[in-house]
Amino acid sequence: MNYKVIYDGNCNLCVTLVQLLENLDGGQNFEYISMQDLEGLDRFGIATDDCEMGMILIDSQNLEKRWQGSDAAEEIGRILPAGEVFVAAYRAMPGMKWMGDRLYEQVRDNRYTLFGKRSTTYKSVYAVGCRAIENCDNPDLKSGS
């Protein structure tokens, strides 16, 4: 895994996007930590307050290299196969970066109102440190569901 994605495991939209990314990537480039996993955040020197500005992407090869919010979303898109072309086009269009940043902020700040809040925190099948289902502490995965 080359990158760690820190996401809101209680946000319906965030979880849906993580599940989409899990399916697209298949665990090749990304591992995931929910913002609710305080122990996991602590391993990377991240406090819960650090998560208020949105998702965080960390480069596993250089833990100091991080993106947050819409910048993290763009970097994830760039990393995906053929994504760099789309992200470059998006960034090249005048005003799109500014609009994308404002849209991200609105969705981030109103995500529970707009998309709802889960009753349980989602833990990814590609959670940090969860290399094999047998080693994962997610009981839903161990039962094969």
Side-chain angles (χ1 to χ4, degrees):
M1 308 289 173
N2 299 322
Y3 299 91
K4 313 296 185 211
V5 177
I6 300 173
Y7 66 98
D8 184 345
N10 291 340
C11 165
N12 285 327
L13 174 65
C14 307
V15 168
T16 299
L17 293 174
V18 164
Q19 290 171 334
L20 175 65
L21 189 54
E22 289 169 340
N23 288 329
L24 288 171
D25 181 61
Q28 296 300 305
N29 292 299
F30 303 104
E31 286 184 314
Y32 306 87
I33 308 169
S34 77
M35 293 176 181
Q36 291 74 26
D37 179 354
L38 302 180
E39 189 176 304
L41 294 179
D42 192 49
R43 284 188 271 170
F44 295 98
I46 296 173
T48 53
D49 290 348
D50 297 331
C51 298
E52 288 181 17
M53 299 307 293
M55 76 161 118
I56 300 171
L57 180 67
I58 302 171
D59 184 332
S60 296
Q61 305 304 312
N62 179 0
L63 298 179
E64 299 301 314
K65 192 170 187 180
R66 299 174 181 201
W67 300 262
Q68 188 160 21
S70 60
D71 292 334
E74 290 174 28
E75 187 64 16
I76 289 168
R78 191 192 65 73
I79 293 164
L80 291 172
E84 191 161 355
V85 172
F86 293 105
V87 172
Y90 162 79
R91 288 177 176 165
M93 293 168 44
M96 285 302 291
K97 171 72 173 146
W98 182 87
M99 286 187 350
D101 290 348
R102 301 300 81 75
L103 177 62
Y104 183 92
E105 291 166 4
Q106 289 300 309
V107 171
R108 175 198 67 206
D109 294 345
N110 299 291
R111 64 189 178 273
Y112 296 141
T113 302
L114 294 169
F115 301 100
K117 185 173 182 178
R118 297 172 53 90
S119 59
T120 59
T121 301
Y122 176 76
K123 183 165 182 178
S124 171
V125 295
Y126 302 107
V128 170
C130 188
R131 299 280 182 206
I133 290 178
E134 302 82 55
N135 297 326
C136 187
D137 63 357
N138 186 339
D140 293 332
L141 298 176
K142 286 181 180 178
S143 66
S145 26

